[in-house]
């Protein structure tokens, strides 16, 4: 498991990576304002994208997150799964189903990580299997980047993608949940299982 400092650094790197593109668009649009009247609209769109991404990361990684419904999970994830190349589908889950705070964070991180397996886009499905939640990826290419599968098994490794895996494993461990591959033989997918009662 990564040290707290290393985990924080890698999460910050991921956040910066997600924001640098739209921030560059805002800066470029502002430079063009005098010559191109459409630049203001471009800047507004990019600023809206920054707000959406910050809201997602605040809920996924920030403290004090409250419970959120399935409809909010969909809204937070819209346009952000696999860098906007994939979409999220709820399968057999009601939009009004509410996830408690820690589980909500785990679900958002798991959605993001499952989306990392879709470099050409596709669909991330979130469904209930008994008391567990299962995420699966479907697309033209389905494979996690090198190092991410190892990180999801609790292995070491640095970097923004691996930091999300480390945070997911840490949150799950503290809540008594387990994180495992969705099913044997699948190239990517996660199963979030609640504590065993007994």
């Amino acid at each position: 498991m990564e040290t707290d400092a290393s985990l924080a650094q890698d999460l910050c790197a991921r956040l910066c990576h997600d924001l640098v593109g739209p921030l560059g668009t805002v800066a470029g649009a502002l430079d063009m304002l005098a010559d191109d009247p459409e630049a203001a609209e471009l800047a507004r769109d990019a600023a809206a994208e920054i707000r959406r991404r910050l809201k997602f990361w605040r809920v996924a990684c920030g403290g004090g997150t409250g419970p959120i419904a399935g409809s909010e999970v969909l809204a937070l994830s819209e346009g952000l799964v696999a860098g906007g190349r994939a979409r999220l589908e709820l399968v057999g889950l009601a939009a009004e189903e509410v996830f408690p705070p820690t589980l909500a964070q785990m679900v958002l991180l798991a959605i993001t990580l499952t989306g990392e397996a879709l470099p050409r886009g596709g669909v991330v499905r979130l469904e209930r299997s008994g008391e567990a939640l299962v995420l699966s990826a479907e697309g033209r290419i389905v494979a996690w980047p090198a190092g991410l599968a190892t990180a999801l098994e609790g292995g070491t490794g640095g970097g923004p993608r691996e930091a999300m895996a480390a945070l997911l494993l840490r949150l799950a461990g503290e809540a008594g949940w387990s994180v495992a591959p969705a099913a044997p033989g699948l190239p990517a997918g996660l199963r979030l299982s609640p504590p065993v009662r007994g």
Side-chain angles (χ1 to χ4, degrees), residues 19-47:
L19 295 179
V20 73
L23 279 171
T25 301
V26 170
L30 292 175
D31 287 343
M32 297 186 310
L33 267 178
D35 302 322
D36 185 354
E38 293 182 7
E41 186 63 30
L42 186 63
R44 277 192 290 274
D45 289 346

Side-chain angles (χ1 to χ4, degrees), residues 90-107:
L90 301 182
V91 180
L93 284 168
E96 62 272 12
E97 179 170 347
V98 175
F99 298 106
T102 300
L103 181 56
Q105 290 183 291
M106 290 165 48
V107 165

